[in-house]
Amino acid sequence: MTRYFGTIAASPKDVSFALAAQLVRDIQAVLAVRVSARVVFSTGATPVRTYEVLRQKYRTALPWQRVCVQQLDEYSGLAKNDARRFSIFLRAHLVGPLGTHFCELTGEESASDLVRYETDIAAAGGLDLVLYGVGVNGHLGFNEPGSAFASATRRVVLHESTRERITTEDGPAPHEAVTLGLGALNAAARVRVVALGAAKRDALTRGLLEPPHIDMPLSSLQAHPDVQFYMDAAAAPHGLALAPPRL
Ligand code: GLP
């Protein structure tokens, strides 16, 4: 029996077109009933092509000035202009070219700043849409394995497997970061997940096909009422079938 909705596409390019179209439909649905849409867009290499499709195909399809990009996570201890900053990534790929609003994280927030970051989201009516990438260890944002499914927005220590994957051309991988917690993230009205390549297959297999466990943050989404998965054939777990999202 198919338990999940989404698309397994032949190539990363096909994934990006299917996902971009869905994100636009999602934001249109939000803007039909709300003045603005509060959206988390994941960083990392995986969604880059999807963001390119949003810029090239959908720049004029939406009133992007009514979208607020809410930053998911940020490294700590980086210089303001360090190219690894996720805020720089989001400005370059989405916020600048599309003209959205931006609620940003610096990575240096105090515990009370982080509580405020989360309560401000709740006060604004919560997140309308979250687009997650997936860490090879199943992390969501920087909610590493072991994160409680109701975890708060907080400072975290990155796992070695995560640090190993961080490009070191610009310097050693940071040890710490701040991240929105799984509690606020998974309370979003809609969640979409994108994963490409064979390196993600193990996390997807454990996260989707095995019982939920805090050592696999991705599995926290099994209980979400509106989640869709977008993956290429290389990432797709053996035996997984996805029902096409209802249009
Ligand atoms: C980082 C980010 C995540 C992202 C993940 C996957 O750690 N904090 O938000 O989803 O890595 O990155 P990539 O798409 O490059 O594999």
Side-chain angles (χ1 to χ4, degrees), residues 2-26:
T2 304
R3 292 168 55 200
Y4 301 110
F5 291 94
T7 298
I8 299 172
S11 70
K13 186 178 169 199
D14 294 341
V15 173
S16 63
F17 276 96
L19 175 58
Q22 180 61 42
L23 295 172
V24 169
R25 279 194 297 274
D26 287 332

Side-chain angles (χ1 to χ4, degrees), residues 5-81:
F5 291 94
T7 298
I8 299 172
S11 70
K13 186 178 169 199
D14 294 341
V15 173
S16 63
F17 276 96
L19 175 58
Q22 180 61 42
L23 295 172
V24 169
R25 279 194 297 274
D26 287 332
I27 294 170
Q28 278 167 340
V30 176
L31 293 180
V33 293
R34 293 185 68 166
V35 176
S36 62
R38 194 164 292 269
V39 183
V40 165
F41 287 109
S42 172
T43 57
T46 308
V48 164
R49 218 191 275 242
T50 301
Y51 298 159
E52 190 183 331
V53 177
L54 290 179
R55 293 193 305 273
Q56 291 180 354
K57 191 172 176 194
Y58 295 108
R59 201 175 59 79
T60 57
L62 279 181
W64 289 101
Q65 73 280 3
R66 289 170 59 197
V67 174
C68 178
V69 173
Q70 189 83 44
Q71 191 168 341
L72 169 60
D73 49 9
E74 185 59 276
Y75 296 120
S76 302
L78 296 184
K80 238 180 167 175
N81 59 353

Side-chain angles (χ1 to χ4, degrees), residues 42-47 72-73 86 132-135 139 141-142 162 165 200:
S42 172
T43 57
T46 308
L72 169 60
D73 49 9
F86 293 151
Y132 282 125
V134 184
H139 71 221
F142 274 139
T162 300
R165 275 184 64 88
K200 302 293 170 75

